[in-house]
C-alpha cells in the first residue's frame, strides 16, 4: 500500500526529479515528458468521466483506463532492467492490458455505422472531452516512441498500450455521440461560410 505523508520535499527545486531507480534527471528529460504526458492524459480521462454519468458502460471503461494509465506511468518512470535479486519486480504494462483495449474496441465499434468522412471533435460534451483525452494520449505515444529511440530498453508494451488506447478513445467518442449519429463530420474545402460574406 502506498502511503504519502509528505507532499513537498524541495528536492525538485533545482530542476531535477527522481525516478523509481537510477540518477535524478532534468524535469524536461524525454522520459519525464513521456510519463508526465501520460499522467496528463489520465487527468483528461478523469475529466471526461464527469460527463459520463448517463453512460455507465463508457464510465466503467474509462475508470479501468485510468488505473491502467497509472501502470503505464510507473513503467515509464522505471528505466532499466530489474535486478534479478530484487524482492519485487517492477510494475510493467502487460500485453493482457493492451489486449483488453482491443476487445473493447471490437465490442463498441461493432454497432457503429462505418464512417464516410473524418470527424471533428465535438457533438456532445462527453465526446468532446474524450477526444481531448485521445489527442493527449497521442502526444504521450509520440513521446514514448521518441524515448524508445534513445533508450531502447523502454517498455515496448507501453507504446502499444498508448497506441491502442487512442484508438479506443476515438471509438468511445463516437459512442458518446449517440452511437455516431451526432458525429460532426469534416467537410473538406468548406468555403460556404466565406462566400456568404462576399
Amino acid at each position: 500500500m502506498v502511503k504519502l505523508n509528505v507532499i513537498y520535499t524541495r528536492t525538485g527545486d533545482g530542476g531535477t526529479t527522481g525516478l523509481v531507480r537510477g540518477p535524478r534527471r532534468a524535469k524536461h528529460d524525454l522520459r519525464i515528458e513521456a510519463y508526465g504526458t501520460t499522467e496528463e492524459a489520465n487527468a483528461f480521462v478523469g475529466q471526461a468521466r464527469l460527463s459520463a454519468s448517463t453512460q455507465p458502460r463508457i464510465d466503467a471503461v474509462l475508470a479501468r483506463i485510468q488505473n491502467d494509465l497509472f501502470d503505464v506511468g510507473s513503467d515509464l518512470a522505471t528505466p532499466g532492467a530489474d535486478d534479478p535479486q530484487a524482492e519485487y519486480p517492477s510494475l510493467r504494462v502487460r500485453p493482457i492490458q493492451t489486449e483488453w483495449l482491443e476487445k473493447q474496441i471490437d465490442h463498441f465499434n461493432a454497432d457503429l455505422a462505418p464512417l464516410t468522412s473524418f470527424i471533428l471533435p465535438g457533438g456532445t460534451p462527453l465526446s468532446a472531452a474524450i477526444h481531448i483525452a485521445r489527442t493527449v494520449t497521442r502526444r504521450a505515444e509520440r513521446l514514448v516512441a521518441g524515448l524508445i529511440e534513445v533508450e531502447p530498453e523502454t517498455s515496448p508494451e507501453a507504446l502499444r498500450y498508448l497506441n491502442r488506447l487512442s484508438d479506443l478513445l476515438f471509438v468511445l467518442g463516437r459512442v458518446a455521440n449517440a452511437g455516431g449519429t451526432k458525429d460532426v463530420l469534416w467537410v473538406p474545402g468548406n468555403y460556404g461560410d466565406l462566400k456568404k460574406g462576399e
Side-chain angles (χ1 to χ4, degrees), residues 4-163:
L4 300 173
N5 290 325
V6 179
I7 302 304
Y8 65 90
T9 63
R10 299 188 179 94
T11 56
D13 291 352
T16 65
T17 193
L19 298 172
V20 175
R21 61 168 165 249
R24 295 180 67 82
R25 298 203 187 187
K27 291 192 175 188
H28 55 79
D29 183 272
L30 185 54
R31 183 171 289 277
I32 313 304
E33 288 280 2
Y35 77 69
T37 306
T38 299
E39 182 181 20
E40 185 182 350
N42 201 339
F44 278 113
V45 172
Q47 185 177 50
R49 292 187 65 199
L50 298 179
S51 300
S53 59
T54 60
Q55 302 255 15
R57 292 191 314 149
I58 292 179
D59 186 57
V61 171
L62 295 179
R64 165 75 181 267
I65 287 168
Q66 283 197 282
N67 280 281
D68 283 352
L69 278 174
F70 221 90
D71 291 354
V72 174
S74 178
D75 190 332
L76 294 172
T78 312
D82 285 354
D83 179 348
Q85 306 302 319
E87 185 176 359
Y88 300 105
S90 300
L91 179 60
R92 300 293 186 192
V93 183
R94 297 176 298 152
I96 192 172
Q97 291 168 285
T98 306
E99 291 162 8
W100 180 81
L101 292 176
E102 293 174 347
K103 290 177 182 176
Q104 301 310 306
I105 293 169
D106 293 341
H107 170 72
F108 283 101
N109 196 52
D111 295 329
L112 296 176
L115 280 170
T116 57
S117 173
F118 292 108
I119 64 172
L120 304 178
T124 64
L126 175 57
S127 180
I130 289 173
H131 277 291
I132 293 172
R134 175 184 63 81
T135 58
V136 176
T137 299
R138 282 290 191 202
R139 177 153 46 91
E141 179 190 359
R142 293 192 297 271
L143 289 166
V144 173
L147 179 62
I148 288 174
E149 285 190 5
V150 296
E151 298 186 38
E153 75 280 4
T154 301
S155 166
E157 198 60 43
L159 181 65
R160 283 191 286 269
Y161 182 90
L162 292 169
N163 180 271

